[in-house]
Amino acid sequence: MMRLRDYSAFFQPEELDAMTTAYEAAWQHLQTNKPTLTTEQVQVLKKNLAQIILASACNGKRDVVRLKEIALRGVSS
């Protein structure tokens, strides 16, 4: 799985914290709303969440709430 901390050289510590918080919040939301995910689905969703958050942050969106919304919308489609 892609770890957001692997990209720490490209972001300020507070930006990385926002990305990590958004990832954790989005994942918690998915676990609550989709409790019957298979192991494979979990791996794919986690990877997709991290990629979406990373891409969004690279495009200047670094607010926790916004990143979470973008990530959840991205994995819903």
Side-chain angles (χ1 to χ4, degrees):
M1 182 187 90
M2 176 188 302
R3 291 190 353 222
L4 294 173
R5 296 269 174 218
D6 292 344
Y7 296 88
S8 62
F10 302 101
F11 297 98
Q12 296 296 319
E14 61 274 6
E15 294 169 335
L16 198 57
D17 287 344
M19 292 165 57
T20 302
T21 300
Y23 171 87
E24 290 168 357
W27 180 242
Q28 181 64 38
H29 176 88
L30 287 171
Q31 283 184 303
T32 301
N33 292 294
K34 298 186 181 291
T36 59
L37 295 172
T38 66
T39 302
E40 185 177 327
Q41 288 172 321
V42 166
Q43 290 173 343
V44 169
L45 277 176
K46 284 184 171 184
K47 181 181 175 193
N48 289 349
L49 280 177
Q51 288 175 337
I52 291 166
I53 288 172
L54 181 61
S56 297
C58 288
N59 287 325
K61 294 170 182 67
R62 299 184 181 158
D63 172 76
V64 172
V65 174
R66 183 89 171 109
L67 285 171
K68 177 187 170 191
E69 290 171 355
I70 291 168
L72 288 172
R73 224 178 14 254
V75 296
S76 295
S77 57

